[in-house]
Amino acid sequence: MNALAELDRRIAGCRACPRLVDWREEVARTKRAAFADWTYWGRPVPGFGPADARMLIVGLAPAAHGGNRTGRMFTGDRSGDVLYQALYDVGLASQPTAVTADDGLELYGVRITSPVHCAPPANKPTPGERDTCRPWLVQELNLLRPTLRSVVVLGAFGWQAALPAFTEAGWSVPRPRPVFGHGARVPLDGLELFGCFHVSQRNTFTGKLTPAMLRDVLGTAAEAAGVRGRSGENEATRAPYDG
């Protein structure tokens, strides 16, 4: 746990990408009117979840007024609303909402991270920024490796960023590299890699990604990893109420 906590501390102090540093700090200064009374985090956002996680979720980057405000992955924005509700539904989170970094939310057997730890302008990191941030993901994968059994990657950008990180962390990634797709499943030396459409508003508002589709991927990945749910059983395969 100390090694992962130290990695998180180092990530939070990174200033390697000038464009991202300028943007995240400018957003933290100017704020959004709805959050005018907030003190924004305004730094890189480290991963969130237990150090012995058997399952990992890899996103894209923190949202300017979500994780960049709260200091926790997928917390305080609409993408997070969808993700944490689904995690709760399949038994992997203690509550269905993520509002602040101290709201008591716990994850069970799953950790959430991203290939880019700073909020980028227009939610679009450059390839250079992605590559500069990759060593953090490689180190995180190395620390999680003893227990890690499945990974869900949200979106094509995350998929393209994650595959080289797995290679650098010592997993054998097939050649040619597997193509991203929702529901894609790729075995990597005892690790099951899953693709899932990103929980962006564009995908969830248009129905490209429905709550049922998200629960299905998360549940399958949790089952593959042998993750235990809130009750100590494998709740990941149970169908939640859709009302």
Side-chain angles (χ1 to χ4, degrees):
M1 180 61 190
N2 288 339
L4 192 59
E6 173 61 17
L7 177 66
D8 291 345
R9 185 193 66 78
R10 290 169 54 213
I11 289 172
C14 183
R15 301 182 65 84
C17 299
R19 187 182 79 113
L20 298 186
V21 171
D22 290 346
W23 172 254
R24 79 191 191 209
E25 293 181 355
E26 175 64 19
V27 169
R29 283 192 298 269
T30 58
K31 307 181 183 181
R32 177 176 283 174
F35 306 121
D37 59 343
W38 274 76
T39 299
Y40 275 51
W41 172 256
R43 292 187 278 163
V45 181
F48 169 56
D52 60 351
R54 298 180 65 85
M55 175 177 163
L56 181 68
I57 297 172
V58 179
L60 168 60
H65 301 282
N68 189 57
R69 171 173 58 91
T70 65
R72 192 173 70 191
M73 287 285 176
F74 282 104
T75 298
D77 61 56
R78 291 188 177 181
S79 293
D81 293 344
V82 174
L83 178 61
Y84 284 112
Q85 179 68 62
L87 287 169
Y88 178 79
D89 286 343
V90 299
L92 301 178
S94 62
Q95 59 193 50
T97 57
V99 182
T100 66
D102 60 356
D103 59 10
L105 173 66
E106 295 182 64
L107 298 180
Y108 304 125
V110 59
R111 183 172 170 87
I112 301 175
T113 192
S114 64
V116 176
H117 287 276
C118 291
N123 293 320
K124 293 181 179 179
T126 67
E129 290 161 350
R130 174 200 64 196
D131 294 347
T132 298
C133 211
R134 182 181 300 142
W136 295 125
L137 180 57
V138 173
Q139 292 178 63
E140 191 168 12
L141 289 172
N142 281 324
L143 291 174
L144 293 172
R145 184 161 192 154
T147 58
L148 192 62
R149 298 295 178 267
S150 73
V151 178
V152 175
V153 181
L154 303 175
F157 182 97
W159 186 268
Q160 293 165 1
L163 292 181
F166 282 114
T167 297
E168 291 183 30
W171 276 277
S172 296
V173 176
R175 291 283 187 176
R177 285 179 179 169
V179 176
F180 172 77
H182 182 82
R185 182 171 182 171
V186 180
L188 300 178
D189 299 336
L191 180 73
E192 295 291 320
L193 178 65
F194 295 85
C196 179
F197 290 142
H198 196 278
V199 288
S200 67
Q201 292 184 53
R202 180 175 59 185
N203 288 342
T204 57
F205 284 6
T206 61
K208 182 176 182 178
L209 178 67
T210 66
M213 291 167 64
L214 178 58
R215 289 194 303 264
D216 182 62
V217 174
L218 294 176
T220 302
E223 185 176 17
V227 176
R228 298 293 179 180
R230 286 186 300 276
S231 67
E233 304 174 9
N234 191 335
E235 298 187 24
T237 57
R238 297 182 185 177
Y241 173 62
D242 255 329

